[in-house]
């Protein structure tokens, strides 16, 4: 039987299948293969007299370290429009780390009641050419949440964003139904905020939400030359610059640079050059 691991406790894994949630053990051979089943893993389960055993772990599309979850396919990147103001460097760093992990960012701007005139348009302008979807919501009252419920479908979704952005409020809204249905989860949420524990998946209809908001942006090393790959608005111009392997920085006749202010926003490009420089410095200091 096929399923998805939604939680793991003390050597037992709980696998959501068509027939409900099964308590499973993992095959001993996984340890020899240095393979640890992760929450989010798609697995095959075999059942015999000894119980249920995870027999096979399917190939992962992504692996996050914190939270420790496999196969996350999208992230709701939650930033408040005001209180606090949007920190674009941080927002762009979140986006880069998601892109590096093969996870689609969905940009969610909270406290939309505090938007200034024309602000939605100017935000859309900043992410021109990226293909990212932008949503404007008020998590507290539930305004604008419908498409976010829709988008959960068939995904494993994680929420991330700075503190004060309202990501926890949004997580509670999106998962609220399930928490009421299973008393167990609500009990667990009341257990106190300071206990460290593994992440679990909350089942919402046929989709999955990582139960802990948050996502660390700093847990990887990256070559400076790699950075451009994580700016989807540059991809269209790949190969059109004068120099092969152009890093769209100080090279002359750079097609990407020519597009800044047109199909590529200045805020995003400036962040790119700044981050590129940071990565070069980091690399120098390492040696
Ligand atoms: Zn270039």
């Amino acid at each position: 039987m096929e399923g998805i691991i939604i939680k793991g406790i003390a050597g037992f894994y709980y696998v959501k299948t068509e027939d409900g949630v099964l308590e499973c053990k993992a095959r001993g051979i996984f340890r020899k293969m240095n393979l640890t089943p992760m929450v989010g893993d798609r697995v095959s389960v075999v059942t015999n007299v000894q119980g249920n055993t995870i027999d096979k772990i399917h190939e992962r599309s992504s692996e996050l370290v914190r939270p420790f979850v496999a196969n996350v396919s999208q992230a709701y990147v939650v930033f408040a429009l005001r209180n606090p103001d949007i920190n674009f460097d941080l927002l762009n760093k979140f986006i880069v780390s998601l892109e590096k992990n093969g996870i689609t960012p969905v940009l969610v701007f909270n406290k939309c009641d505090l938007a200034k005139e024309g602000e939605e348009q100017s935000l859309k302008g900043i992410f021109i050419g990226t293909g990212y979807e932008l949503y404007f919501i008020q998590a507290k009252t539930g305004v604008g949440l419908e498409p976010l419920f829709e988008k959960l479908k068939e995904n494993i979704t994680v929420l991330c964003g700075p503190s004060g952005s309202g990501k926890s409020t949004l997580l509670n809204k999106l998962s609220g139904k399930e928490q009421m249905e299973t008393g167990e989860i609500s009990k667990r949420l009341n257990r106190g905020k300071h206990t460290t524990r593994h992440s679990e998946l909350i089942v919402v209809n046929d989709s999955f939400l990582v139960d802990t908001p948050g996502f660390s942006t700093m847990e990887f090393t990256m070559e400076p030359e790699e950075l451009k790959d994580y700016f989807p608005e540059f991809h269209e111009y790949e190969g059109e610059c004068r120099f092969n392997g152009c890093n769209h920085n100080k090279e002359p006749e750079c097609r990407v640079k020519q597009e800044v202010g047109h199909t590529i926003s200045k805020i995003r490009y400036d962040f790119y050059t700044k981050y590129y420089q940071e990565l070069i410095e980091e690399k120098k200091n390492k040696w």
Side-chain angles (χ1 to χ4, degrees):
M1 201 178 306
E2 304 295 301
I4 292 183
I5 300 179
I6 58 170
K7 79 176 160 182
I9 301 172
F12 285 98
Y13 297 94
Y14 296 84
V15 178
K16 167 94 165 53
T17 69
E18 278 181 345
D19 290 354
V21 177
L22 304 178
E23 186 182 79
C24 305
K25 292 208 124 183
R27 274 179 68 184
I29 190 143
F30 292 148
R31 200 171 306 158
K32 278 187 209 132
M33 294 160 73
N34 215 358
L35 186 60
T36 310
M38 289 172 79
V39 165
D41 267 330
R42 296 190 165 83
V43 297
S44 306
V45 174
V46 291
T47 303
N48 58 27
V49 283
Q50 277 143 25
N52 306 307
T53 307
I54 295 173
D55 186 53
K56 189 170 182 237
I57 299 172
H58 299 279
E59 205 184 316
R60 294 166 183 154
S61 65
S62 68
E63 268 179 39
L64 290 183
V65 177
R66 205 179 299 164
F68 190 62
V69 181
N71 296 320
V72 172
S73 48
Q74 68 180 358
Y76 289 170
V77 187
V78 187
F79 274 74
L81 289 178
R82 301 273 100 68
N83 314 325
D85 286 349
I86 300 169
N87 175 341
F88 282 100
D89 278 3
L90 185 61
L91 174 51
N92 283 315
K93 273 194 177 166
F94 270 117
I95 292 172
V96 165
S97 51
L98 290 166
E99 289 279 356
K100 186 176 166 63
N101 281 288
I103 297 168
T104 308
V106 175
L107 309 185
V108 178
F109 295 99
N110 191 19
K111 307 185 190 174
C112 66
D113 51 312
L114 303 177
K116 292 179 192 151
E117 211 184 312
E119 194 166 14
E120 290 194 11
Q121 277 316 311
S122 71
L123 281 167
K124 283 178 185 160
I126 289 170
F127 295 99
I128 186 171
T130 60
Y132 299 146
E133 291 181 46
L134 280 72
Y135 294 93
F136 296 86
I137 65 154
Q138 195 182 1
K140 211 166 63 181
T141 59
V143 169
L145 295 197
E146 230 152 88
L148 297 183
F149 275 109
E150 254 333 275
K151 284 196 71 63
L152 290 179
K153 263 179 206 160
E154 284 159 28
N155 278 300
I156 298 180
T157 306
V158 70
L159 270 70
C160 62
S163 59
S165 64
K167 59 183 189 292
S168 302
T169 311
L170 178 61
L171 180 65
N172 288 340
K173 289 272 177 191
L174 292 174
S175 62
K177 192 167 159 264
E178 182 69 16
Q179 283 172 28
M180 269 180 274
E181 274 172 9
T182 65
E184 191 218 0
I185 289 176
S186 2
K187 233 189 330 193
R188 187 169 46 68
L189 285 177
N190 290 332
R191 206 165 56 187
K193 282 180 181 162
H194 301 289
T195 44
T196 41
R197 55 182 181 79
H198 290 290
S199 292
E200 295 175 12
L201 296 184
I202 302 170
V203 184
V204 184
N205 297 327
D206 284 326
S207 42
F208 300 91
L209 260 170
V210 179
D211 73 335
T212 33
F215 171 75
S216 171
T217 56
M218 306 302 167
E219 303 211 349
F220 55 81
T221 51
M222 179 160 53
E223 292 296 319
E225 294 70 31
E226 208 186 322
L227 183 62
K228 58 178 181 295
D229 298 342
Y230 308 130
F231 284 72
E233 64 266 58
F234 295 178
H235 295 174
E236 204 185 325
Y237 307 107
E238 219 42 66
E240 291 183 22
C241 300
R242 178 170 163 192
F243 293 105
N244 265 341
C246 180
N247 282 304
H248 319 314
N249 188 34
K250 287 179 178 140
E251 299 91 336
E253 290 172 56
C254 168
R255 197 61 191 92
V256 165
K257 247 188 295 178
Q258 286 165 9
E259 285 299 324
V260 175
H262 306 284
T263 63
I264 293 170
S265 82
K266 192 170 180 321
I267 287 186
R268 289 269 297 166
Y269 180 73
D270 288 350
F271 170 77
Y272 169 78
T273 53
K274 195 168 108 181
Y275 199 8
Y276 181 77
Q277 216 47 54
E278 270 175 39
L279 291 172
I280 285 180
E281 294 301 319
E282 250 170 53
K283 203 174 164 181
K284 262 192 224 156
N285 293 339
K286 235 187 275 174
W287 301 107

